[in-house]
Amino acid sequence: MNKFEYTVTPEQAGNRIDKVLSDVQDDWSRSQIQNWIKDKIVLLEGKPVKSNYKCTAGDVIEIEIPEPEVLDVVPEEMNLDIVYEDSDVLVVNKPRGMVVHPAPGHYSGTLVNGLMAHCKDLSGINGVLRPGIVHRIDKDTSGLLMVAKNDKAHESLVDQLKAKTTTRVYKAIVHGVMPHDQGTIDAPIGRDKSDRQKMTVTDENSRDAVTHFNVIKRFTNYTFVECQLETGRTHQIRVHMKYIGFPLAGDPKYGPSKTLQIEGQALHAQTLGFDHPSTGEYMEFEREIPADMNELLDLLEKRS
């Protein structure tokens, strides 16, 4: 078991213990934390705590984190688009339709299966199901991901994500003609109470979320935009663009049913930048939008 210890700050006083812990560790979902609380491995001053406990500044929370369940994740040879690789990090361009890491229903064909066949050295911090995975993008979003090849690199990259010093720029096609050339969406995102498979803008059990956008080109009924993430919440761009009235084209979860013909949302993680974990040198990588999005732009150009 790994032991985790955290002291509650004055700013966190009054928040439920599961919210405090999920804010501290982005990789921990509140449901996972609540299960740990039920299993009595979340301790406050050495004693088990209830999930509805509201924290006080100075509270010392301890967790005896169980070892991840050992599952046989099989390496699978794949033709991965490796953009950059050295002994610490790897940057890969994930195609639309590929799941990032194994989960119920997807234990093969994932990016992790391919990475395990490509290289034997991946960080073990995220356990056997997510070796090397520092952040992820949705199954039907294409684009760049950084992967850690050792624990030191993993910790560095996670710290950079938390400090908001990484560069993550996406290209998207959205419904509607956006009137503003640029803007910032600053709206907290949390789980949708009416549909647990969705995220939504809400003040309840949410986390801060900030997306900056710039219009690249307007078409009849659609807009091609660039979005830059300041935070990295689940489905952030998809939720934020729907929130301001311009849902992503092709988005099966947050968009309208009548849309452009594309398998999943028209969203691509085009630019990724970070400081190298060992040298400290800033590195930035880019992969242009895939063919399916280019075809949509050509179609919209002809229609306009």
Side-chain angles (χ1 to χ4, degrees):
M1 285 201 175
N2 299 313
K3 189 168 184 178
F4 172 87
E5 186 174 297
Y6 181 74
T7 302
V8 176
T9 66
E11 293 77 19
Q12 295 168 319
N15 288 332
R16 283 172 51 123
I17 191 167
D18 54 352
K19 173 168 172 49
V20 169
L21 289 171
S22 65
D23 284 345
V24 171
Q25 292 286 341
D26 279 346
D27 285 337
W28 296 350
S29 67
R30 291 184 72 165
S31 59
Q32 181 183 46
I33 293 164
Q34 287 162 0
N35 285 333
W36 287 346
I37 291 171
K38 287 178 188 173
D39 292 339
K40 301 185 186 308
I41 61 172
V42 179
L43 308 177
L44 186 68
E45 312 297 345
K47 296 180 180 178
V49 67
K50 293 184 177 179
S51 60
N52 62 355
Y53 173 77
K54 292 187 176 179
C55 293
T56 301
D59 280 348
V60 178
I61 304 168
E62 296 178 343
I63 308 176
E64 293 286 349
I65 302 171
E67 294 297 332
E69 182 182 355
V70 177
L71 291 173
D72 188 17
V73 181
V74 179
E76 297 175 32
E77 292 292 338
M78 297 180 188
N79 186 23
L80 297 176
D81 182 6
I82 304 297
V83 179
Y84 174 82
E85 183 176 10
D86 62 25
S87 59
D88 290 310
V89 296
L90 178 151
V91 176
V92 60
N93 184 30
K94 185 190 83 68
R96 191 183 324 282
M98 178 182 277
V99 175
V100 171
H101 57 75
H106 292 283
Y107 286 111
S108 66
T110 73
L111 179 63
V112 162
N113 294 105
L115 288 171
M116 289 178 68
H118 175 79
C119 57
K120 308 305 177 191
D121 49 342
L122 291 171
S123 163
I125 286 180
N126 265 344
V128 294
L129 292 184
R130 295 191 287 177
I133 300 302
V134 179
H135 64 130
R136 64 179 184 174
I137 54 180
D138 299 328
K139 169 179 173 282
D140 290 322
T141 298
S142 59
L144 299 177
L145 279 169
M146 52 188 174
V147 177
K149 297 180 75 174
N150 55 65
D151 290 356
K152 178 188 172 188
H154 194 122
E155 289 169 353
S156 170
L157 295 173
V158 167
D159 287 346
Q160 291 179 56
L161 286 168
K162 288 181 178 177
K164 304 176 184 176
T165 58
T166 59
T167 300
R168 287 172 292 166
V169 180
Y170 288 68
K171 295 289 176 62
I173 302 172
V174 302
H175 283 269
V177 181
M178 301 185 76
H180 305 292
D181 289 340
Q182 60 188 39
T184 294
I185 308 163
D186 186 347
I189 290 175
R191 191 72 60 182
D192 189 330
K193 288 198 297 185
S194 61
D195 184 346
R196 301 299 292 174
Q197 298 299 312
K198 288 185 176 181
M199 308 300 287
T200 189
V201 170
T202 176
D203 289 324
E204 188 174 339
N205 295 329
S206 57
R207 298 182 187 178
D208 292 342
V210 179
T211 305
H212 307 284
F213 69 86
N214 291 285
V215 168
I216 301 170
K217 190 164 187 177
R218 296 177 178 89
F219 302 97
T220 303
N221 300 324
Y222 292 90
T223 307
F224 186 36
V225 297
E226 177 182 277
C227 296
Q228 182 158 352
L229 293 179
E230 187 172 312
T231 55
R233 307 306 176 205
T234 300
H235 301 170
Q236 179 170 315
I237 292 173
R238 300 165 67 188
V239 171
H240 270 174
M241 299 312 286
K242 178 189 176 185
Y243 176 67
I244 64 170
F246 301 95
L248 267 63
D251 193 332
K253 196 179 290 283
Y254 301 101
S257 56
K258 293 183 178 180
T259 186
L260 300 173
Q261 292 301 307
I262 185 171
E263 293 296 322
Q265 56 275 0
L267 182 64
H268 175 70
Q270 179 164 309
T271 306
L272 178 63
F274 54 88
D275 293 334
H276 191 277
S278 292
T279 68
E281 175 190 1
Y282 179 73
M283 310 174 75
E284 189 169 288
F285 306 93
E286 189 166 299
R287 270 291 190 269
E288 291 298 324
I289 61 173
D292 57 0
M293 283 183 67
N294 259 322
E295 289 168 6
L296 291 186
L297 292 175
D298 289 343
L299 175 65
L300 293 173
E301 186 74 55
K302 291 174 184 175
R303 286 182 182 176
S304 296

